[in-house]
Structure formats: C-alpha cells, structure tokens
Amino acid sequence: MDIVLQLVFSGIALGMIYAVIAFGYQLTFATSGTLNFGQGEALMLGALVGLSLVGNIHGGPYMSYWLMIPIVIVFGALQGAVVEWIGVRPAIKIKSEFGWIMSTIALAIIFKNVAENIWGKDDLTFPTPLPATPFQVFGANVQPMQIVVVLGALAMMLAVELFNRKSIYGKAVVATSNDRDAAGLMGINTSMVITFSYALSSATAAFAGVLVAPLTLTGATMGTALGLKAFAVAIIGGLTSGMGAIVGGLILGVAETLTGFYISTGYKEVPGLLLLLLVLAVKPAGLFGKTAIKKV
C-alpha cells in the first residue's frame, strides 16, 4: 500500500504538469480555434532559461529560484507572442485551416535547434530550491518539490481563471472565446486578444518548465514528450474545460507511474494512449468538453 501511495503521489505531481500545459492549449483554442504545437518547446525554453539564471550556465549570474520564476514567465509570454505574430496570425488572416499547424510545428523545431546550439544536447541538472529529503504522508515518501509542483500548478490555473472572470481584459478574452465576430463588432481588438492568449499559454508552459525541472533532467529534448502528452490530456479532458485538463492530467500521470512500476517503463505511455482512443471513440469532445453545434 505504501508503494501504491508513493506512485500515486508521483503521478499526481506529473499529472499537474500535464494539466498546466493542457490548460495552455485550451487558452489558444478558446480565442482563435488554433493550437500551439510548440507548447512543449515553450516549457523546455522556460526550464533552460531558468537554469541559466539559477545555475550559472555560460557565466550567467546566480539567482534565487523564486526570483527567477517571474522572469521566466515574462520570457514565456514574449515567446508565445512571437509564435502568434509569425506563425498563427498570417494563417488566420488568409483563413488557412492548416497553415497554423505547420507554422507552429516549424517554430517548435527552430526553438529546439536554437536550444541545442545554446545549451548543448546533453541533459543538465536543475538545482532544487528545497531540501531533497522526503517526508512521509500516510507512509509514503513525498518530496517537498512535488508539493510545490501541485500547488504551483493549481495556483497558476486559478490565477488565470480569476483574471478572466474579474478583470476587464479577462472579460475581453471571455467575450472573444464566446463569439469572436461579435466581440469584434463590440469594439474588442480580437487580434490583440489572440496574441495575449498565446502569450499567456506559453507563459504557463514556461512556468511548468521551471516547476518540473528540479524533479527531472533539463535539456533541449525534454519538451517534446511532455507537449504531446499534454495535448492528449487536453483532448481527454476536453478543449473547453479547465476541470477537464486537471482530471485528464491526473488520470494520465497516475496511470503512467503505476504502469511503469507494475508492468514496464517501456509501456507506461500505453494506458494514456488507449484512454485517448477510447475517449475519441465514445465522447469526441472530451470527458468534460461541450460538443459545438455549427450552423451552416
């Protein structure tokens, strides 16, 4: 039972990282109907930039982990805005259904190659800001950083939800999400809202990067698998539901850790993919998603 709890706690921490990235997919899909398939690379760049700030990489200054986080979030926001300007906005203007897919994938490859040339291809160790000594919860060992991951992920998603509900700019985002054409007629700059959603999406991914980095190795390839799994989480939970991102992330994270321990690490991705296929077959809009009715 202690081993099961240990695996569940590890799965929850991993699942919340998936949830934050999946939440970023939802932000861009809501405002523009598009997705940034470079979300994983946004996470990777956030982790590597954070490592440069706290780990003295390439002669950079040492910095407190907690002071580094807002800097990385700002960097992620700028990176997301660049992706929207270069890769998504032109496709939206010409109403290309697939142009933004190839553009965001191409930018993801470019960001990965840039990262390999700056930080190298080898995996690096990210210094942990908290003691590595675990503490016991119901007999299972839990690392302090795992608690930070869960709380940080929940705090980020809650902050975005409160922003959307309480602020005038957030209400513009919600209005654009509900009906982009009507929002434009009401005087809302929908192009700016879409740019903001991409900036916020990449900022959340960069934040997820510095959360997960102390628990794993940091490198130019770390974002690819995380981004794809988070996309599966977004589909499983539903691209229109924040709760779906959390539930889907937890399901996938726990399923991976249990499968990796009891069956084989080579099969740990299988349960999530099987669940994805099952959800697409039974409920294509996702577990918590809403089926859109399109009038022609």
Side-chain angles (χ1 to χ4, degrees):
M1 183 58 69
D2 292 347
I3 293 176
V4 172
L5 285 175
Q6 181 94 38
L7 295 171
V8 168
F9 287 141
S10 298
I12 289 173
L14 179 61
M16 291 308 299
I17 291 297
Y18 293 155
V20 172
I21 308 172
F23 189 66
Y25 282 120
Q26 293 175 354
L27 290 172
T28 60
F29 183 78
T31 57
S32 63
T34 63
L35 299 168
N36 179 11
F37 285 102
Q39 276 288 92
E41 277 60 40
L43 177 144
M44 173 268 296
L45 287 173
L48 287 173
V49 169
L51 178 61
S52 295
L53 294 173
V54 302
N56 204 30
I57 301 297
H58 299 309
Y62 285 108
M63 181 180 290
S64 164
Y65 176 86
W66 312 109
L67 182 61
M68 168 271 297
I69 289 177
I71 298 175
V72 168
I73 290 175
V74 171
F75 170 82
L78 294 174
Q79 187 259 348
V82 168
V83 170
E84 194 277 335
W85 289 335
I86 296 176
V88 179
R89 184 174 297 189
I92 292 177
K93 283 184 177 180
I94 64 173
K95 300 186 184 302
S96 172
E97 294 186 5
F98 304 105
W100 55 269
I101 297 177
M102 298 310 301
S103 296
T104 55
I105 292 175
L107 287 170
I109 295 172
I110 291 172
F111 287 136
K112 181 181 176 182
N113 288 338
V114 169
E116 288 177 342
N117 281 281
I118 295 176
W119 287 280
K121 297 183 179 181
D122 296 331
D123 290 329
L124 304 169
T125 302
F126 199 107
T128 179
L130 298 174
T133 305
F135 58 90
Q136 288 200 337
V137 178
F138 301 116
N141 292 325
V142 179
Q143 296 182 33
M145 198 61 207
Q146 289 177 325
I147 302 297
V148 171
V149 166
V150 174
L151 295 179
L154 289 173
M156 170 60 80
M157 289 186 283
L158 179 61
V160 173
E161 284 294 325
L162 288 176
F163 173 82
N164 286 340
R165 293 175 184 271
K166 301 297 182 182
S167 72
I168 187 66
Y169 301 105
K171 291 177 180 178
V173 173
V174 174
T176 305
S177 302
N178 292 332
D179 192 325
R180 194 187 342 162
D181 293 333
L185 292 173
M186 294 298 292
I188 296 174
N189 187 339
T190 55
S191 295
M192 187 63 68
V193 170
I194 293 172
T195 302
F196 176 77
S197 70
Y198 265 82
L200 192 57
S201 173
S202 292
T204 58
F207 177 64
V210 295
L211 283 181
V212 74
L215 296 175
T216 184
L217 294 174
T218 304
T221 59
M222 68 179 294
T224 304
L226 288 171
L228 288 174
K229 291 177 183 178
F231 179 64
V233 165
I235 299 300
I236 291 171
L239 277 168
T240 58
S241 172
M243 180 58 68
I246 296 175
V247 174
L250 293 178
I251 291 173
L252 184 59
V254 173
E256 281 192 2
T257 54
L258 291 175
T259 303
F261 182 83
Y262 286 107
I263 301 178
S264 170
T265 55
Y267 290 101
K268 67 178 184 178
E269 284 86 7
V270 172
L273 295 176
L274 290 177
L275 178 60
L276 173 63
L277 294 175
L278 180 62
V279 169
L280 288 175
V282 177
K283 201 172 186 297
L287 297 176
F288 294 84
K290 297 179 181 179
T291 303
I293 300 176
K294 189 173 182 179
K295 296 182 180 180
V296 180

